[in-house]
Amino acid sequence: MDSTDKKRLRAEAHSHKPVIMIGQAGLSPAVLAEIEIALDCHELLKVRIRAEREDRKTIGDEIVAATGAELIQMIGQIAVLYRPNPEKRIKKAAPPKKPKPKKAFNHRR
Protein backbone atom coordinates (compact mmCIF):
# COMPACT_ATOMS: atom_id res chain seq x y z
CA MET A 1 0.00 0.00 0.00
CA ASP A 2 1.49 3.32 -0.99
CA SER A 3 1.40 6.62 0.87
CA THR A 4 -1.53 8.05 -1.10
CA ASP A 5 -3.72 5.08 -0.15
CA LYS A 6 -2.72 5.46 3.50
CA LYS A 7 -3.44 9.18 3.37
CA ARG A 8 -6.90 8.52 1.94
CA LEU A 9 -7.62 5.90 4.61
CA ARG A 10 -6.41 8.20 7.41
CA ALA A 11 -8.75 10.91 6.14
CA GLU A 12 -11.64 8.44 5.95
CA ALA A 13 -10.95 7.09 9.46
CA HIS A 14 -10.84 10.57 10.97
CA SER A 15 -14.60 10.73 11.49
CA HIS A 16 -14.93 7.14 12.77
CA LYS A 17 -15.20 6.23 16.44
CA PRO A 18 -13.21 3.36 17.99
CA VAL A 19 -15.12 0.11 17.53
CA ILE A 20 -12.96 -2.11 19.75
CA MET A 21 -11.45 -1.16 23.11
CA ILE A 22 -8.64 -3.15 24.67
CA GLY A 23 -8.52 -2.62 28.44
CA GLN A 24 -6.48 -3.82 31.36
CA ALA A 25 -6.97 -7.51 30.46
CA GLY A 26 -4.91 -6.91 27.32
CA LEU A 27 -5.21 -8.70 24.01
CA SER A 28 -7.13 -11.93 24.55
CA PRO A 29 -8.34 -14.48 21.98
CA ALA A 30 -11.88 -13.13 22.43
CA VAL A 31 -10.74 -9.59 21.60
CA LEU A 32 -8.87 -10.89 18.54
CA ALA A 33 -12.03 -12.67 17.40
CA GLU A 34 -14.01 -9.43 17.74
CA ILE A 35 -11.35 -7.55 15.76
CA GLU A 36 -11.62 -10.18 13.00
CA ILE A 37 -15.40 -9.77 12.88
CA ALA A 38 -15.16 -5.97 12.86
CA LEU A 39 -12.55 -6.01 10.08
CA ASP A 40 -14.79 -8.25 7.98
CA CYS A 41 -17.70 -5.84 8.47
CA HIS A 42 -15.98 -2.47 8.27
CA GLU A 43 -12.57 -3.01 6.57
CA LEU A 44 -11.35 0.24 8.18
CA LEU A 45 -11.31 0.08 11.95
CA LYS A 46 -10.26 2.17 14.94
CA VAL A 47 -9.08 0.34 18.07
CA ARG A 48 -8.51 2.03 21.43
CA ILE A 49 -5.64 0.41 23.34
CA ARG A 50 -5.56 1.36 27.02
CA ALA A 51 -2.01 0.48 28.02
CA GLU A 52 1.44 1.99 28.47
CA ARG A 53 3.25 3.30 25.40
CA GLU A 54 5.54 0.28 24.95
CA ASP A 55 2.66 -2.13 25.51
CA ARG A 56 0.49 -0.30 22.94
CA LYS A 57 3.16 -0.79 20.29
CA THR A 58 3.50 -4.52 21.00
CA ILE A 59 -0.29 -5.00 21.13
CA GLY A 60 -0.61 -3.20 17.79
CA ASP A 61 2.06 -5.45 16.27
CA GLU A 62 0.32 -8.55 17.66
CA ILE A 63 -3.00 -7.48 16.15
CA VAL A 64 -1.38 -6.91 12.75
CA ALA A 65 0.37 -10.30 12.88
CA ALA A 66 -2.75 -12.19 13.99
CA THR A 67 -5.28 -10.58 11.63
CA GLY A 68 -3.25 -9.79 8.54
CA ALA A 69 -4.47 -6.21 8.68
CA GLU A 70 -2.28 -3.23 7.94
CA LEU A 71 -1.57 -0.61 10.57
CA ILE A 72 -2.44 2.69 8.91
CA GLN A 73 -1.83 5.00 11.85
CA MET A 74 -1.24 4.93 15.58
CA ILE A 75 -1.74 8.14 17.52
CA GLY A 76 -1.78 7.90 21.28
CA GLN A 77 -4.19 5.16 22.31
CA ILE A 78 -5.90 4.90 18.91
CA ALA A 79 -4.76 2.47 16.22
CA VAL A 80 -6.26 2.56 12.73
CA LEU A 81 -6.30 -0.81 10.95
CA TYR A 82 -7.27 -1.72 7.40
CA ARG A 83 -7.88 -5.09 5.81
CA PRO A 84 -9.75 -5.31 2.51
CA ASN A 85 -12.65 -7.75 2.42
CA PRO A 86 -12.79 -9.51 -0.97
CA GLU A 87 -16.49 -10.35 -0.52
CA LYS A 88 -17.34 -6.67 -0.14
CA ARG A 89 -15.42 -5.88 -3.34
CA ILE A 90 -17.54 -8.41 -5.24
CA LYS A 91 -20.76 -6.88 -3.91
CA LYS A 92 -19.60 -3.39 -4.87
CA ALA A 93 -18.88 -4.56 -8.41
CA ALA A 94 -22.59 -5.25 -9.03
CA PRO A 95 -24.09 -3.45 -12.02
CA PRO A 96 -25.20 0.10 -11.25
CA LYS A 97 -28.89 0.88 -10.96
CA LYS A 98 -30.58 2.91 -13.64
CA PRO A 99 -30.79 6.59 -12.76
CA LYS A 100 -34.23 7.96 -12.08
CA PRO A 101 -35.54 10.40 -14.68
CA LYS A 102 -35.33 14.01 -13.65
CA LYS A 103 -38.59 15.74 -12.92
CA ALA A 104 -39.41 18.84 -14.88
CA PHE A 105 -39.96 22.00 -12.92
CA ASN A 106 -43.44 23.42 -13.05
CA HIS A 107 -43.07 27.17 -12.95
CA ARG A 108 -46.22 28.94 -11.82
CA ARG A 109 -46.68 32.65 -11.93
Short mmCIF file of all heavy atoms in Angstrom, two decimals, residues 8-36:
data_model
loop_
_atom_site.label_atom_id
_atom_site.label_comp_id
_atom_site.label_asym_id
_atom_site.label_seq_id
_atom_site.Cartn_x
_atom_site.Cartn_y
_atom_site.Cartn_z
N ARG A 8 -5.46 8.56 2.17
CA ARG A 8 -6.90 8.52 1.94
C ARG A 8 -7.61 7.78 3.07
O ARG A 8 -8.65 8.21 3.57
CB ARG A 8 -7.19 7.83 0.60
CG ARG A 8 -8.66 7.73 0.26
CD ARG A 8 -8.88 6.96 -1.03
NE ARG A 8 -8.29 5.65 -1.02
CZ ARG A 8 -8.83 4.56 -0.45
NH1 ARG A 8 -9.97 4.66 0.18
NH2 ARG A 8 -8.24 3.40 -0.50
N LEU A 9 -7.01 6.67 3.52
CA LEU A 9 -7.62 5.90 4.61
C LEU A 9 -7.57 6.65 5.94
O LEU A 9 -8.51 6.58 6.73
CB LEU A 9 -6.92 4.54 4.75
CG LEU A 9 -7.20 3.56 3.62
CD1 LEU A 9 -6.28 2.35 3.73
CD2 LEU A 9 -8.66 3.14 3.62
N ARG A 10 -6.49 7.39 6.18
CA ARG A 10 -6.41 8.20 7.41
C ARG A 10 -7.51 9.26 7.40
O ARG A 10 -8.16 9.51 8.42
CB ARG A 10 -5.04 8.87 7.53
CG ARG A 10 -3.98 7.97 8.08
CD ARG A 10 -2.75 8.76 8.50
NE ARG A 10 -2.20 9.61 7.48
CZ ARG A 10 -1.22 9.24 6.63
NH1 ARG A 10 -0.70 8.05 6.72
NH2 ARG A 10 -0.77 10.09 5.73
N ALA A 11 -7.71 9.88 6.25
CA ALA A 11 -8.75 10.91 6.14
C ALA A 11 -10.14 10.29 6.35
O ALA A 11 -11.00 10.89 7.00
CB ALA A 11 -8.67 11.59 4.78
N GLU A 12 -10.35 9.11 5.81
CA GLU A 12 -11.64 8.44 5.95
C GLU A 12 -11.88 8.01 7.41
O GLU A 12 -12.98 8.10 7.92
CB GLU A 12 -11.69 7.22 5.04
CG GLU A 12 -13.02 6.54 5.00
CD GLU A 12 -13.04 5.36 4.05
OE1 GLU A 12 -12.26 5.34 3.09
OE2 GLU A 12 -13.85 4.45 4.29
N ALA A 13 -10.83 7.57 8.08
CA ALA A 13 -10.95 7.09 9.46
C ALA A 13 -11.11 8.22 10.46
O ALA A 13 -11.51 7.99 11.60
CB ALA A 13 -9.73 6.25 9.82
N HIS A 14 -10.81 9.44 10.04
CA HIS A 14 -10.84 10.57 10.97
C HIS A 14 -12.20 10.72 11.66
O HIS A 14 -12.27 10.98 12.85
CB HIS A 14 -10.47 11.85 10.23
CG HIS A 14 -10.43 13.05 11.11
ND1 HIS A 14 -9.43 13.26 12.01
CD2 HIS A 14 -11.28 14.10 11.23
CE1 HIS A 14 -9.65 14.40 12.65
NE2 HIS A 14 -10.77 14.92 12.19
N SER A 15 -13.26 10.52 10.93
CA SER A 15 -14.60 10.73 11.49
C SER A 15 -15.14 9.50 12.22
O SER A 15 -16.18 9.57 12.86
CB SER A 15 -15.57 11.13 10.38
OG SER A 15 -15.65 10.09 9.44
N HIS A 16 -14.45 8.37 12.12
CA HIS A 16 -14.93 7.14 12.77
C HIS A 16 -14.63 7.16 14.27
O HIS A 16 -13.70 7.80 14.73
CB HIS A 16 -14.24 5.92 12.16
CG HIS A 16 -14.63 5.66 10.75
ND1 HIS A 16 -14.26 4.55 10.07
CD2 HIS A 16 -15.36 6.38 9.85
CE1 HIS A 16 -14.74 4.58 8.85
NE2 HIS A 16 -15.40 5.69 8.70
N LYS A 17 -15.42 6.43 15.01
CA LYS A 17 -15.20 6.23 16.44
C LYS A 17 -14.54 4.87 16.63
O LYS A 17 -14.72 3.97 15.81
CB LYS A 17 -16.54 6.24 17.19
CG LYS A 17 -17.33 7.51 17.01
CD LYS A 17 -17.17 8.37 18.22
CE LYS A 17 -18.11 9.56 18.10
NZ LYS A 17 -17.47 10.79 18.33
N PRO A 18 -13.79 4.68 17.73
CA PRO A 18 -13.21 3.36 17.99
C PRO A 18 -14.29 2.31 18.17
O PRO A 18 -15.25 2.51 18.91
CB PRO A 18 -12.42 3.55 19.29
CG PRO A 18 -12.18 5.01 19.37
CD PRO A 18 -13.33 5.68 18.70
N VAL A 19 -14.14 1.19 17.47
CA VAL A 19 -15.12 0.11 17.53
C VAL A 19 -14.74 -0.90 18.62
O VAL A 19 -15.60 -1.43 19.31
CB VAL A 19 -15.22 -0.60 16.16
CG1 VAL A 19 -16.15 -1.78 16.20
CG2 VAL A 19 -15.67 0.39 15.10
N ILE A 20 -13.46 -1.14 18.78
CA ILE A 20 -12.96 -2.11 19.75
C ILE A 20 -12.12 -1.36 20.78
O ILE A 20 -11.35 -0.47 20.42
CB ILE A 20 -12.08 -3.17 19.06
CG1 ILE A 20 -12.82 -3.86 17.92
CG2 ILE A 20 -11.52 -4.17 20.07
CD1 ILE A 20 -13.89 -4.81 18.35
N MET A 21 -12.27 -1.75 22.05
CA MET A 21 -11.45 -1.16 23.11
C MET A 21 -10.75 -2.28 23.86
O MET A 21 -11.39 -3.24 24.30
CB MET A 21 -12.31 -0.34 24.06
CG MET A 21 -12.90 0.85 23.40
SD MET A 21 -13.63 1.95 24.57
CE MET A 21 -14.54 3.02 23.49
N ILE A 22 -9.44 -2.16 23.96
CA ILE A 22 -8.64 -3.15 24.67
C ILE A 22 -8.28 -2.53 26.01
O ILE A 22 -7.62 -1.50 26.07
CB ILE A 22 -7.38 -3.51 23.87
CG1 ILE A 22 -7.79 -4.10 22.51
CG2 ILE A 22 -6.51 -4.48 24.65
CD1 ILE A 22 -6.65 -4.34 21.58
N GLY A 23 -8.71 -3.16 27.10
CA GLY A 23 -8.52 -2.62 28.44
C GLY A 23 -7.39 -3.27 29.18
O GLY A 23 -6.41 -3.74 28.60
N GLN A 24 -7.54 -3.33 30.50
CA GLN A 24 -6.48 -3.82 31.36
C GLN A 24 -6.21 -5.31 31.19
O GLN A 24 -5.14 -5.78 31.51
CB GLN A 24 -6.83 -3.54 32.82
CG GLN A 24 -8.06 -4.25 33.31
CD GLN A 24 -8.48 -3.78 34.68
OE1 GLN A 24 -8.08 -2.72 35.11
NE2 GLN A 24 -9.29 -4.59 35.35
N ALA A 25 -7.18 -6.07 30.67
CA ALA A 25 -6.97 -7.51 30.46
C ALA A 25 -6.04 -7.76 29.27
O ALA A 25 -5.55 -8.87 29.09
CB ALA A 25 -8.30 -8.20 30.23
N GLY A 26 -5.82 -6.76 28.45
CA GLY A 26 -4.91 -6.91 27.32
C GLY A 26 -5.57 -7.58 26.13
O GLY A 26 -6.79 -7.63 26.01
N LEU A 27 -4.74 -8.08 25.25
CA LEU A 27 -5.21 -8.70 24.01
C LEU A 27 -5.48 -10.18 24.25
O LEU A 27 -4.57 -10.97 24.39
CB LEU A 27 -4.15 -8.51 22.91
CG LEU A 27 -4.54 -8.93 21.51
CD1 LEU A 27 -5.71 -8.08 21.02
CD2 LEU A 27 -3.37 -8.78 20.57
N SER A 28 -6.74 -10.54 24.31
CA SER A 28 -7.13 -11.93 24.55
C SER A 28 -7.64 -12.54 23.25
O SER A 28 -7.91 -11.82 22.29
CB SER A 28 -8.23 -11.98 25.62
OG SER A 28 -9.39 -11.36 25.14
N PRO A 29 -7.78 -13.86 23.19
CA PRO A 29 -8.34 -14.48 21.98
C PRO A 29 -9.74 -13.97 21.66
O PRO A 29 -10.10 -13.85 20.49
CB PRO A 29 -8.36 -15.97 22.34
CG PRO A 29 -7.30 -16.14 23.36
CD PRO A 29 -7.29 -14.85 24.15
N ALA A 30 -10.53 -13.65 22.67
CA ALA A 30 -11.88 -13.13 22.43
C ALA A 30 -11.82 -11.76 21.76
O ALA A 30 -12.61 -11.47 20.85
CB ALA A 30 -12.65 -13.05 23.74
N VAL A 31 -10.89 -10.92 22.20
CA VAL A 31 -10.74 -9.59 21.60
C VAL A 31 -10.27 -9.73 20.16
O VAL A 31 -10.75 -9.03 19.26
CB VAL A 31 -9.77 -8.73 22.42
CG1 VAL A 31 -9.48 -7.42 21.72
CG2 VAL A 31 -10.35 -8.46 23.80
N LEU A 32 -9.32 -10.66 19.91
CA LEU A 32 -8.87 -10.89 18.54
C LEU A 32 -10.00 -11.36 17.64
O LEU A 32 -10.11 -10.95 16.48
CB LEU A 32 -7.73 -11.91 18.52
CG LEU A 32 -6.34 -11.36 18.72
CD1 LEU A 32 -5.33 -12.48 18.81
CD2 LEU A 32 -5.97 -10.39 17.63
N ALA A 33 -10.88 -12.20 18.17
CA ALA A 33 -12.03 -12.67 17.40
C ALA A 33 -12.96 -11.51 17.06
O ALA A 33 -13.47 -11.41 15.93
CB ALA A 33 -12.78 -13.75 18.17
N GLU A 34 -13.17 -10.59 18.00
CA GLU A 34 -14.01 -9.43 17.74
C GLU A 34 -13.37 -8.51 16.70
O GLU A 34 -14.06 -7.92 15.87
CB GLU A 34 -14.26 -8.65 19.03
CG GLU A 34 -15.24 -9.32 19.96
CD GLU A 34 -16.62 -9.49 19.35
OE1 GLU A 34 -17.12 -8.57 18.69
OE2 GLU A 34 -17.20 -10.58 19.55
N ILE A 35 -12.05 -8.38 16.76
CA ILE A 35 -11.35 -7.55 15.76
C ILE A 35 -11.51 -8.17 14.38
O ILE A 35 -11.74 -7.45 13.40
CB ILE A 35 -9.86 -7.38 16.14
CG1 ILE A 35 -9.75 -6.51 17.40
CG2 ILE A 35 -9.07 -6.77 15.00
CD1 ILE A 35 -8.35 -6.42 17.97
N GLU A 36 -11.41 -9.49 14.29
CA GLU A 36 -11.62 -10.18 13.00
C GLU A 36 -13.02 -9.90 12.46
O GLU A 36 -13.18 -9.57 11.28
CB GLU A 36 -11.43 -11.69 13.17
CG GLU A 36 -10.02 -12.14 13.37
CD GLU A 36 -9.23 -12.19 12.08
OE1 GLU A 36 -9.82 -12.11 10.98
OE2 GLU A 36 -8.00 -12.31 12.18
#
